[in-house]
Amino acid sequence: MTPFRLLRAVLPLLLAVPAAAQSPALPWPDPPPIAASRARVAAITTLGRDLFFDPALSASGRVACATCHDPRFGFSPANAEAVQPGGATLEQVGTRAVPSLSYAQFSPSFSEHYYESDEDGDGSVDAGPTGGFTWDGRASRARDQARIPLLAPNEMANASPAAVVTRLASGPHAAALRTLYGQDLFADPDRAFDAVLDALEVFQQDQATFAPFTSKYDAWLRGSAQLTAAEDRGRRLFEDPGKGNCAQCHISRPSGSGALPLFTDYGLVALGVPRNVAIPANRDPGYFDLGLCGPERRDLTDHPDYCGLFKTPSLRNVALRRSFFHNGVMHSLRDAVAFYVERDVAPQRWYPTDAHGVVRKFDDLPERFWENVNDEPPFGGEAGDAPRLSPAEIDDVVAFLQTLTDGYTPR
Ligand code: HEC
Ligand code: HEC
């Protein structure tokens, strides 16, 4: 059960508490402490929001979480650079595209062997590596994840947790941190750093901010909007197993219990996207970002079958993004869609050609890992075959993806 579904299952119980409060089996006294804990969550959410937007969390004083995760772009960068600048003087850049944070809160913890709930699929099938935060799933919770940018030399570049805490202790968030986590908080830098991570995590679970489910597609699912003809054609192509087959990984239908779809199954899959020459690390021909098997992730390096695998992102708010895929190699949504149907039938459009005129397909993956690359529909076919989607059909899929942007107001 994903946290989201868990919440859906548990929330009615919580709300039903007053009626059941007489029961001696309940672990809390009467009345239940729910109002106080709600107020605390609200206060931590406000603190987490303030921290998320504050560049004082970085060594340079110029990079906030929101610098890379801009709310106007589904919490992804405002610019179209594949990788973002960071570091003490903003002269270093990352090696991966910044993922959107919208709907990221529902990611299950990483598992090498993931079984869906029976209600949502076949509970007996091992879906393989699934879940976790970041493109390789290496952080199990948002609080572990936040540690990475705060301390990464090419991101917020703090020398240590204590360096962050020392700055915060004399800054505008100190009072709120003390009130919420203890007056003696700053006496213990590790505890204070954990409080910062906690507040950032709680903020990132705020549904109104990160998961409002207010797209046109949500309105359509609720029966309060109609898709245009192009959007509806796109929806069918997205779901048709013989055409786009996108919904196989980017789930588009409500779950058995009625939870709205998140447009990902969180699976880690190798798509063989082209190498991005715009990433400085890629100037070294021996450097490869292999995702699940490293180099950022270090616990599964002895798994050659995991090399090249990256996490399936949610496609909610994808039309707000300006770079696509883990290495940000594409900059238009149309290209991202076209890549799927042309990768195998027109590889020359996506990969470089060598001096002998041979297309260097899967140029971002050493040849020994090519067998990991997914070749089910919409992939597959031989060079020269017709792609599974025509140019007009690709436009329709893009029109459909544009219905996944939050903030739609029904007429
Ligand atoms: C310099 C740009 C930059 C800054 C600043 C930054 N991030 Fe990120 N963020 C990234 C990149 C790049 C990734 C993908 C990392 C990877 O896959 O290894 C990422 C990934 C994430 C993810 C995982 C999302 C998912 O769906 O798996 C979360 C959550 C996140 N960042 C939260 C934060 C928070 C909280 C802060 C502030 C403490 C922050 N980020 C600051 C660039 C940034
Ligand atoms: C086999 C599973 C699978 C199928 C089928 C699939 N995708 Fe994906 N999708 C992924 C994975 C995995 C990634 C990330 C891969 C990477 O970055 O290396 C991704 C990334 C994307 C992105 C980039 C999102 C971002 O935030 O950068 C878009 C857009 C996208 N897919 C659209 C589609 C469309 C449209 C289809 C159908 C034509 C489709 N996908 C079919 C697994 C799948």
Side-chain angles (χ1 to χ4, degrees):
M1 208 185 249
T2 65
F4 178 55
R5 291 191 204 113
L6 187 68
L7 188 71
R8 287 211 145 205
V10 169
L11 205 59
L13 300 177
L14 293 178
L15 296 175
V17 153
Q22 305 303 326
S23 162
L26 288 177
W28 48 71
D30 186 6
I34 194 121
S37 67
R38 281 213 184 112
R40 183 176 162 82
V41 169
I44 297 180
T45 301
T46 302
L47 170 62
R49 176 180 285 116
D50 291 346
L51 292 170
F52 189 89
F53 286 91
D54 192 345
L57 257 62
S58 63
S60 64
R62 289 158 64 194
V63 181
C65 304
T67 309
C68 292
H69 300 287
D70 186 325
R72 295 169 301 159
F73 298 85
F75 293 91
S76 70
N79 64 41
E81 302 297 325
V83 289
Q84 300 300 313
T89 54
L90 299 192
E91 278 161 0
Q92 284 177 285
V93 294
T95 56
R96 290 183 179 166
V98 182
S100 162
L101 300 189
S102 66
Y103 300 88
Q105 61 184 298
F106 304 120
S107 209
S109 331
F110 177 77
S111 162
E112 282 183 76
H113 305 283
Y114 183 76
Y115 295 88
E116 288 180 316
S117 70
D118 280 328
E119 155 213 305
D120 291 336
D122 186 341
S124 64
V125 175
D126 180 355
T130 300
F133 286 101
T134 78
W135 286 105
D136 53 30
R138 72 190 182 285
S140 57
R141 296 184 59 179
R143 65 182 56 211
D144 308 321
Q145 198 289 322
R147 206 176 268 279
I148 304 173
L150 284 166
L151 302 176
N154 59 0
E155 296 189 322
M156 297 167 96
N158 291 291
S160 64
V164 184
V165 169
T166 307
R167 255 194 331 274
L168 289 177
S170 58
H173 315 297
L177 278 161
R178 282 201 191 91
T179 308
L180 288 162
Y181 294 96
Q183 290 301 326
D184 59 346
L185 182 67
F186 291 106
D188 180 348
D190 288 336
R191 219 181 99 208
F193 193 61
D194 283 348
V196 171
L197 302 181
D198 184 71
L200 287 168
E201 177 174 278
V202 170
F203 169 54
Q204 289 176 81
Q205 287 166 353
D206 184 47
Q207 287 225 13
T209 308
F210 289 94
F213 294 101
T214 55
S215 69
K216 183 175 187 183
Y217 183 65
D218 294 308
W220 180 78
L221 285 175
R222 293 181 178 113
S224 58
Q226 286 209 312
L227 300 182
T228 65
E231 290 163 352
D232 200 48
R233 282 194 305 269
R235 178 185 67 79
R236 288 162 200 269
L237 294 163
F238 188 90
E239 294 179 340
D240 184 339
K243 295 293 270 176
N245 196 29
C246 317
Q248 194 208 345
C249 304
H250 300 286
I251 312 243
S252 60
R253 292 296 178 98
S255 75
S257 63
L260 290 164
L262 296 167
F263 285 85
T264 173
D265 63 0
Y266 304 103
L268 283 99
V269 183
L271 302 187
V273 298
R275 192 172 176 87
N276 188 356
V277 293
I279 296 179
N282 281 343
R283 284 181 206 139
D284 172 0
Y287 171 85
F288 291 96
D289 185 353
L290 300 176
L292 187 51
C293 87
E296 300 293 338
R297 187 169 180 145
R298 296 192 198 102
D299 57 334
L300 295 170
T301 49
D302 58 347
H303 264 278
D305 53 325
Y306 287 172
C307 293
L309 276 63
F310 292 88
K311 190 174 76 165
T312 307
S314 171
L315 297 184
R316 286 181 171 274
N317 294 313
V318 73
L320 298 177
R321 285 173 67 69
R322 304 191 60 193
S323 301
F324 301 92
F325 299 114
H326 71 273
N327 60 6
V329 66
M330 306 215 180
H331 298 281
S332 90
L333 191 50
R334 196 179 190 286
D335 278 352
V337 179
F339 166 73
Y340 277 93
V341 290
E342 291 179 2
R343 186 194 75 184
D344 295 328
V345 301
Q348 73 286 354
R349 294 201 47 191
W350 303 99
Y351 299 98
T353 303
D354 72 14
H356 309 287
V358 178
V359 179
R360 293 178 46 236
K361 204 172 159 181
F362 304 144
D363 64 333
D364 207 19
L365 206 55
E367 190 167 347
R368 62 189 182 282
F369 304 129
W370 288 359
E371 61 182 324
N372 299 343
V373 177
N374 185 293
D375 57 7
E376 288 166 35
F379 300 117
E382 300 296 323
D385 288 354
R388 282 179 202 275
L389 299 176
S390 69
E393 289 174 328
I394 293 172
D395 289 337
D396 289 343
V397 171
V398 170
F400 170 63
L401 292 174
Q402 284 163 343
T403 70
L404 304 182
T405 303
D406 284 316
Y408 172 76
T409 9
R411 297 227 175 131

